[in-house]
Amino acid sequence: MGEDNFLPYCFYGGDKVTFQELINLTKVYTRDTDSRIFTDADIKMFINQGIDRIRQYNVFESMEYLSNPSDTPKLLPSMYHYILALFAASRLFDTDERFYEGTDKRNEFEEVFANIVERIENGTLTITDENGFAVDNTMSATDYVADVYFKGVIAE
């Protein structure tokens, strides 16, 4: 494309990333900024597949697919939006039989996503909806053992 500002400012600490910006970032990751190898339709499909992968964790179950260029990922903190482009790049590399590069990007995605899950479960990252309310996370609920046999009294 030849633009000096191909990557939006948000990748350098700005606000939420749009669907179009994720598409552009995926093109950068795959070194296909002129769309000679991968189509936008494939990129969009794989970004939404990334959302499916993220939805597997219950806090993100209500995360919506992206369809319009101005759509932004909901629930996922903005500092992690880029992982959707990582996922898409990994799938694109796999379809082009560039498995090493695909595996490399997928591992990076999975490592960052595991870090997100760990931070949520440790209580250091709170997922909020678009209204700013915390999303209920039942996966990090603590299980307690009830003492029904001794009823709290243990003879000495």
Side-chain angles (χ1 to χ4, degrees), residues 44-97:
K44 291 174 184 178
M45 175 181 63
F46 290 137
I47 288 172
N48 282 315
Q49 268 189 12
I51 290 174
D52 279 336
R53 170 65 185 97
I54 290 171
R55 282 174 158 174
Q56 291 176 356
Y57 187 65
N58 75 320
V59 174
F60 299 106
E61 284 177 336
S62 62
M63 191 171 177
E64 299 173 1
Y65 290 124
L66 305 176
S67 56
N68 299 314
S70 61
D71 287 352
T72 59
K74 306 289 189 250
L75 302 179
L76 190 63
S78 59
M79 65 186 150
Y80 294 115
H81 286 178
Y82 76 97
I83 69 170
L84 293 170
L86 283 174
F87 185 91
S90 77
R91 300 291 289 143
L92 290 165
F93 282 137
D94 288 348
T95 61
D96 197 38
E97 298 183 2

Side-chain angles (χ1 to χ4, degrees), residues 20-37:
Q20 185 59 54
E21 291 166 340
L22 285 170
I23 293 166
N24 292 347
L25 182 59
T26 303
K27 290 177 181 183
V28 170
Y29 283 153
T30 58
R31 296 176 306 282
D32 186 36
T33 55
D34 55 3
S35 300
R36 291 179 188 236
I37 303 170

Side-chain angles (χ1 to χ4, degrees), residues 146-155:
D147 181 5
V148 294
Y149 185 75
F150 293 106
K151 299 187 178 19
V153 179
I154 298 177

Side-chain angles (χ1 to χ4, degrees), residues 92-110:
L92 290 165
F93 282 137
D94 288 348
T95 61
D96 197 38
E97 298 183 2
R98 292 158 56 184
F99 299 114
Y100 176 79
E101 292 171 288
T103 301
D104 189 47
K105 291 293 182 211
R106 182 61 183 258
N107 287 343
E108 187 177 349
F109 167 86
E110 292 296 341

Side-chain angles (χ1 to χ4, degrees), residues 3-18:
E3 297 176 18
D4 290 334
N5 57 352
F6 188 77
L7 283 178
Y9 77 95
C10 54
F11 290 108
Y12 305 106
D15 203 7
K16 295 182 181 244
V17 181
T18 67

